[in-house]
Amino acid sequence: MRMIHGLLAAALTLPLAIPGAQAQTRVGEVSTTFRMVGPNDKVVVERYDDPRVPNVSCYVSRADTGGLSGWVGLAEDPSRFSLACRATGPVTMPSGIPKNESVFKQSASALFKALTVTRIIDEEKRVLVYLITSTKIIDGSPYNSVTAVPVDAPAR
């Protein structure tokens, strides 16, 4: 029994241990379902700034499950989300960044489910492509969203 409590405690604190697990800024939220007990279900909009590419901000809208299980942090949010990334200033390609890199990760449940944003570089078109997916220990979700940000031409 003590081992089960230890595993549950580790699972509940894992989202805090993931680098970048928390959004940099919660932009807003809209209530979608009234709950008698606990907070309402809602759609949340959060902003993440790409940690390695200055002047790129990504906006994620996602479902946030309310009710008693959501209030205590045990609800599993649905794998439905949207992603839009925008240039907020001049965007240049930093040297040495990988062609494919996970740039944000956020917990979507207490039991090892996460939303992940991956940056993919399209060198031919000079575009940064951002893809959001949902992952679990065993399987992921087919739901995804993609957006792209053009990179400024290099100075000559």
Side-chain angles (χ1 to χ4, degrees):
M1 189 67 159
R2 179 173 284 168
M3 183 176 175
I4 292 172
H5 283 104
L7 288 172
L8 183 58
L12 292 174
T13 59
L14 179 68
L16 301 176
I18 298 171
Q22 301 299 317
Q24 290 177 328
T25 303
R26 181 174 275 200
V27 177
E29 60 188 48
V30 175
S31 182
T32 58
T33 304
F34 174 74
R35 298 282 189 149
M36 290 292 276
V37 177
N40 293 341
D41 293 351
K42 58 190 99 167
V43 173
V44 175
V45 177
E46 297 166 325
R47 185 189 78 228
Y48 299 82
D49 296 328
D50 188 319
R52 294 185 66 176
V53 181
N55 299 321
V56 174
S57 294
C58 293
Y59 295 85
V60 174
S61 67
R62 61 174 182 78
D64 188 29
T65 304
L68 187 57
S69 61
W71 183 59
V72 297
L74 296 177
E76 183 170 316
D77 295 329
S79 296
R80 292 192 174 95
F81 33 75
S82 179
L83 173 70
C85 296
R86 298 293 184 261
T88 57
V91 177
T92 56
M93 187 83 67
S95 62
I97 65 171
K99 189 169 172 75
N100 188 322
E101 177 180 28
S102 174
V103 291
F104 316 119
K105 195 173 258 189
Q106 179 175 353
S107 174
S109 78
L111 298 175
F112 310 108
K113 180 178 177 181
L115 298 179
T116 302
V117 175
T118 303
R119 179 191 338 97
I120 303 166
I121 300 173
D122 180 347
E123 292 175 358
E124 181 182 339
K125 296 295 182 178
R126 296 198 45 81
V127 170
L128 301 172
V129 178
Y130 292 86
L131 172 69
I132 187 169
T133 56
S134 176
T135 57
K136 285 186 177 181
I137 286 180
I138 297 174
D139 60 354
S141 167
Y143 292 105
N144 64 80
S145 183
V146 68
T147 187
V149 176
V151 175
D152 293 339
R156 294 185 188 247

